[in-house]
Amino acid sequence: MNDINKIVNTSFENQRKLANFCKTGVYNEIAGANHKNIRYYRKLIYNVFDDSLSSAFPLTYNLLTKTEWDGLINLFVSSNKCKSPQVWYMPKEFYLWLANSSLPILEKYKILPDLLKFEWFEIELYMKKNGRVLKKKSQNYILVNPDYLIMELNYPVHKVNASKITQNDFGQYFVLLHREKTDFKVIFTDISKSIALIIELFSSNQMSLIDLYQFIRQELGFELQEKEKKEIENFINWGNSSGLFY
Amino acid sequence: MVGIGFRKEFAEEMLATTVLHPDFIEAAPENWIDVGGFWGRLLDEALEKYPLYLHGLSLSVGSPDKIDMKFLRKVKKFIKDNKAVLYSEHLSFSKCDNAHLYDLLPIPFTNEAVKHVSGRIREVQDFLEQKITIEIVSYYSPVAAEMSELEFINSVVTESGCNLLLDVNNIYVNGFNHNYDPYSFLDNLLLDKVSYIHMAGHKKVSDDLIIDTHGEAIINPVYQLFDHAIKKLNRTVPVLLERDFNIPELSDLAMEMSALRKILSDNAK
């Protein structure tokens, strides 16, 4: 290591001390620094995280006690390394950080990962870059609005108040989110696993309803009953009118 | 020319009314890259009316970490796609050890930091194939300083070949917080490098500390310092009114913009 790097590293070390103090509150002496004023940086940074996350996750914020919320924010700020330069992605990092952790709060609130996912997916879809609208190869083909997401949940956070959900509600839920083309509102729709699969099929292949029935018969090996076909047709009609399909 | 920071809080109202008539808008690329839907359409509408100036938040040129080239590539594309007139960033760091902190922290005023930061600004300029404009930030404490703030800024500007963003409010705030004369400070900057000016309000939180909040109206002493800066510059430089928090009625912002325009026109006579 040459002399320049040694001194650069001294500057880096002081920057690390400042950054570490802002994250953890643990202060290691920085030459010439005004400790009283440096505390404002920690406060300002905490406020950025707190404001962003409470705005992104209002349902989670209301579910937790103030102490629980503050504890989570403090732990996130101090222990997570936020990767995105875009602060509006930070809530996604919070959701994944908490969902993949083994923090005791997940025992008390088993619905937390689903609740955070539900709240984040709405933001992600609302904000996302407009998807490319493909040109239909045939008028009979059913194409899916590219601005959609399918969310799989274990708890019905999309239709029941979070505080009312119990272990008895545990199961498998599928929720379709799609963004309207004109006013860009995000629409939530409770769907079955079969409908979720059908949407994915239409999304990845240009096909008509007849092609879909043929695919189910040939590739999945079963024949749909008339009642099931009627349900699918009703869903497609709804999808056409709601902007899910075009 | 007087522009306004394009904030989501008032973007829709601004575009739907004639209360504000900025000469340009400024946006943070971080808030708009990869954004579509409602906000994407609103930005497109704004760009049909106004030229775009970009003011970055997270490039962190003062960081110990390497430049995030993936992000810089997106910035370059965003500049090109939206025909941005100028791209500015802060003389500070907001990322350390691969962790974004989403605020502007002061760089140590050291010779080695000058070399490090200047090299990184050159790296950014080479990649973007254009000069960038670097803002003098407000700060609340020095960090292991070996030289004055003025020497540090002038050295970085000289060694990197970048332009300077003169944030007049920040100079006022720093003069107060660190007990120096903002007029003398401003006079001794490399004013020929100034390509952009920011004006904003601040909040005094104690007898010896002002925080640069962008959440209040501009105060008279900052207007006076601005008037002095315009006299010293003696040329046309675009001026931006920043208001990020505690957003008032658009008519209040219009009055602030008029006050800035009046100072510019008085000095042009």
Side-chain angles (χ1 to χ4, degrees), chain B residues 21-46:
Chain B
H21 45 96
D23 297 302
F24 63 91
I25 56 166
E26 184 200 84
E30 288 82 354
N31 294 340
W32 298 95
I33 283 174
D34 291 336
V35 171
F38 176 79
W39 294 117
R41 184 173 66 186
L42 218 56
L43 181 65
D44 289 343
E45 276 177 36

Side-chain angles (χ1 to χ4, degrees), chain B residues 1 110 139 233 255:
Chain B
M1 285 209 304
T110 63
Y139 67 107
L233 285 165
M255 281 169 63

Side-chain angles (χ1 to χ4, degrees), chain A residues 44, chain B residues 140 169 200-203 205 211-216 244-245:
Chain A
L44 291 167
Chain B
Y140 313 125
N169 177 59
H202 58 244
K203 188 173 183 182
V205 295
I211 301 286
D212 174 31
T213 55
H214 299 180
E216 311 289 331
D244 299 338
F245 301 102

Side-chain angles (χ1 to χ4, degrees), chain B residues 40-201:
Chain B
R41 184 173 66 186
L42 218 56
L43 181 65
D44 289 343
E45 276 177 36
L47 295 183
E48 283 172 17
K49 290 184 172 181
Y50 309 110
L52 177 68
Y53 283 53
L54 286 179
H55 188 50
L57 300 168
S58 297
L59 194 60
S60 196
V61 294
S63 175
D65 306 61
K66 287 182 180 171
I67 291 284
D68 181 346
M69 294 308 289
K70 187 180 166 194
F71 174 63
L72 192 60
R73 262 190 292 279
K74 286 188 174 190
V75 172
K76 185 173 185 176
K77 185 172 185 308
F78 195 76
I79 291 171
K80 189 179 169 206
D81 290 350
N82 296 292
K83 300 182 177 62
V85 177
L86 173 152
Y87 174 53
S88 60
E89 250 292 353
H90 298 88
L91 187 53
S92 63
F93 75 105
S94 56
K95 181 185 178 189
C96 191
D97 293 329
N98 286 316
H100 281 278
L101 296 162
Y102 306 114
D103 202 2
L104 308 171
L105 300 178
I107 304 167
F109 301 148
T110 63
N111 282 312
E112 281 60 43
V114 168
K115 286 186 173 56
H116 176 68
V117 176
S118 303
R120 288 164 59 95
I121 293 173
R122 286 196 301 270
E123 185 186 349
V124 172
Q125 294 185 142
D126 288 348
F127 183 79
L128 295 179
E129 300 172 285
Q130 66 178 65
K131 280 195 180 195
I132 64 170
T133 303
I134 288 290
E135 177 180 335
I136 301 167
V137 297
S138 54
Y139 67 107
Y140 313 125
S141 167
V143 175
E146 296 171 359
M147 62 175 75
S148 70
E149 181 194 355
L150 188 64
E151 285 175 283
F152 180 73
I153 293 166
N154 285 344
S155 301
V156 168
V157 171
T158 303
E159 289 202 21
S160 68
C162 70
N163 289 325
L164 194 59
L165 197 170
L166 192 68
D167 189 314
V168 177
N169 177 59
N170 287 354
I171 294 172
Y172 178 86
V173 167
N174 290 343
F176 180 88
N177 288 345
H178 307 292
N179 199 26
Y180 62 66
D181 175 19
Y183 286 84
S184 163
F185 181 93
L186 195 147
D187 291 350
N188 286 290
L189 286 167
L190 301 173
L191 293 178
D192 59 320
K193 299 292 183 186
V194 173
S195 62
Y196 193 24
I197 294 176
H198 273 183
M199 285 288 285

Side-chain angles (χ1 to χ4, degrees), chain A residues 3-5 7-8 10-12 14-16 18-19 22-23 30-38 40-41 44-45 48-49 51 77 80-90 93 126-130 179 181-184, chain B residues 8 29-39 41 58 62-64 68 71 74 77 93 96-108 110 112-113 115-116 138-146 205-206 208-209 211:
Chain A
D3 286 347
I4 286 175
N5 282 337
I7 305 170
V8 167
T10 304
S11 295
F12 287 174
N14 284 315
Q15 289 178 271
R16 287 196 172 97
L18 176 57
C22 291
K23 281 168 72 71
I30 301 168
N34 179 333
H35 184 216
K36 182 169 78 76
N37 289 354
I38 271 184
Y40 278 96
Y41 285 113
L44 291 167
I45 287 168
V48 170
F49 279 80
D51 291 347
V77 173
N80 183 66
K81 292 186 170 189
C82 282
K83 296 285 179 291
S84 177
Q86 296 179 267
V87 71
W88 68 271
Y89 274 115
M90 186 243 284
E93 296 198 36
Y126 188 71
M127 295 289 283
K128 87 180 267 291
K129 204 172 174 176
N130 301 349
R179 191 170 72 187
K181 290 171 193 162
T182 46
D183 64 4
F184 301 109
Chain B
K8 286 176 180 159
E30 288 82 354
N31 294 340
W32 298 95
I33 283 174
D34 291 336
V35 171
F38 176 79
W39 294 117
R41 184 173 66 186
S58 297
S63 175
D68 181 346
F71 174 63
K74 286 188 174 190
K77 185 172 185 308
F93 75 105
C96 191
D97 293 329
N98 286 316
H100 281 278
L101 296 162
Y102 306 114
D103 202 2
L104 308 171
L105 300 178
I107 304 167
T110 63
E112 281 60 43
K115 286 186 173 56
H116 176 68
S138 54
Y139 67 107
Y140 313 125
S141 167
V143 175
E146 296 171 359
V205 295
S206 70
D208 59 357
L209 186 68
I211 301 286

